[in-house]
Amino acid sequence: MPALPVRTAHNGFTLPAIGLGTYRLNGEAGAAAIAAGIDAGYRLVDSAFNYENEGTVGRGVADAATDRAEIVVTTKLPGRHHPSDKARTSIEESRFRLGLDATDLHLIHWPNPIQDEYVQAWAALVEAQQRGTVRQIGVSNFLPEHLERLERETGVRPVVNQIELHPYFPQTEQLAYHREHGIITEAWSPIGRARALLEETVIAEVAAAHDISPAQAVLAWHVARESVAIPKASSLEHQKANLAAASVVLDDAEVEAITALGRADGRLFDADPRSHEES
């Protein structure tokens, strides 16, 4: 596989433009799929405490023939573990399940603003980074006001914010904010979860123009907008196809046409970070 484009954070930390999502990859079959994906070219693997598959991810990383030092393994701290004492234990437990000497990238999964303990969780991640048990720290589903509060109260800015981002919910303003502040944008559910998206006329036209699949057209749109897409793929065929999309170059008109698919109600489910509370 050709080298993937990289995205760089304010502190010099980099991520490849396409990573491997692992939601619902479990057990031996999941570990085998993850190992195959890594050996096919993935260098970013995404997991979470709440996916209940950190052990599977750790096994897949260990079974891959690729040098462990080349792989960025991500996990996420759940909402029920935001208080300081719970957060520290959760961070350690995730590392143990992954079987790693240090977690490469640890995120807070959701801000849970009603609970309002995410600053405690962030402080625990900052402390874990200082101890060397976590290498890089970031967040997921945070809005600019949440990000600004973290930096104001701790002096540490996240390197990554993983958010819902796909053509039905293109997040143009949030992307611009991240670029301005040196925060890498990761896109969860980057292809959406509805077949309707891949059947959109504009996506079909872009795919035909480049002789690629509709899913590859959407991933190429992410690459053009400088977000890091982390699609889940269990088959080697789909894994390779997703990686290949990083080399497809869309022109500005194609990017704008796909972005125009955005909808006011484009979220996949009712999960507005201003009110959503993840357990």
Side-chain angles (χ1 to χ4, degrees), residues 158-224:
V159 295
V160 165
N161 189 14
Q162 185 181 125
I163 59 175
E164 178 179 357
L165 198 166
H166 46 77
Y168 284 158
F169 198 61
Q171 296 265 47
T172 300
E173 292 182 2
Q174 183 99 14
L175 264 174
Y177 178 90
H178 289 169
R179 289 192 196 101
E180 181 181 353
H181 292 84
I183 299 170
I184 298 172
T185 303
E186 286 189 337
W188 58 261
S189 290
I191 308 176
R193 296 178 184 169
R195 183 178 297 274
L197 174 62
L198 299 182
E199 294 176 348
E200 290 282 357
T201 300
V202 64
I203 291 176
E205 290 175 347
V206 170
H210 293 270
D211 194 23
I212 56 177
S213 72
Q216 287 177 310
V218 174
L219 292 175
W221 172 80
H222 282 281
V223 173

Side-chain angles (χ1 to χ4, degrees), residues 19 31 34 70 138 167 184 249-251 270:
I34 292 164
E70 297 182 19
I184 298 172
V249 178
L250 305 187
D251 63 34
D270 186 20

Side-chain angles (χ1 to χ4, degrees), residues 27-257:
E28 291 185 2
I34 292 164
I38 292 170
D39 290 338
Y42 286 91
R43 294 298 178 263
L44 170 63
V45 180
D46 183 78
S47 182
F49 186 102
N50 274 351
Y51 297 173
E52 298 183 346
N53 71 346
E54 289 171 316
T56 294
V57 170
R59 178 61 180 270
V61 170
D63 287 350
T66 302
D67 185 348
R68 158 72 184 102
E70 297 182 19
I71 306 164
V72 176
V73 181
T74 307
T75 193
K76 307 181 192 75
L77 181 75
R80 62 188 179 279
H81 294 166
H82 280 193
S84 298
D85 56 341
K86 291 183 178 178
R88 175 164 179 156
T89 300
S90 180
I91 293 164
E92 293 170 348
E93 288 288 347
S94 284
R95 179 168 63 91
F96 296 156
R97 279 190 296 275
L98 288 163
L100 304 176
D101 59 339
T103 307
D104 299 306
L105 177 61
H106 213 120
L107 313 179
I108 299 176
H109 209 152
W110 287 86
N112 283 24
I114 297 172
Q115 176 179 302
D116 194 24
E117 293 171 324
Y118 63 87
V119 176
Q120 290 186 53
W122 184 244
L125 281 175
V126 171
E127 193 266 342
Q129 186 179 37
Q130 292 170 344
R131 287 189 288 121
T133 56
V134 173
R135 294 194 172 94
Q136 299 289 340
I137 55 177
V139 295
S140 182
N141 301 298
F142 275 50
L143 298 173
E145 55 260 39
H146 304 137
L147 295 166
E148 289 167 4
R149 183 181 174 194
L150 291 183
E151 186 169 10
R152 183 172 64 249
E153 297 193 19
T154 70
V156 180
R157 184 187 310 169
V159 295
V160 165
N161 189 14
Q162 185 181 125
I163 59 175
E164 178 179 357
L165 198 166
H166 46 77
Y168 284 158
F169 198 61
Q171 296 265 47
T172 300
E173 292 182 2
Q174 183 99 14
L175 264 174
Y177 178 90
H178 289 169
R179 289 192 196 101
E180 181 181 353
H181 292 84
I183 299 170
I184 298 172
T185 303
E186 286 189 337
W188 58 261
S189 290
I191 308 176
R193 296 178 184 169
R195 183 178 297 274
L197 174 62
L198 299 182
E199 294 176 348
E200 290 282 357
T201 300
V202 64
I203 291 176
E205 290 175 347
V206 170
H210 293 270
D211 194 23
I212 56 177
S213 72
Q216 287 177 310
V218 174
L219 292 175
W221 172 80
H222 282 281
V223 173
R225 299 177 90 227
E226 300 183 350
S227 63
V228 173
I230 45 172
K232 172 204 165 184
S234 56
S235 77
L236 186 58
E237 178 184 4
H238 286 159
Q239 290 172 349
K240 289 182 176 179
N242 290 346
L243 286 173
S247 63
V248 178
V249 178
L250 305 187
D251 63 34
D252 290 346
E254 291 171 323
V255 173
E256 290 171 7

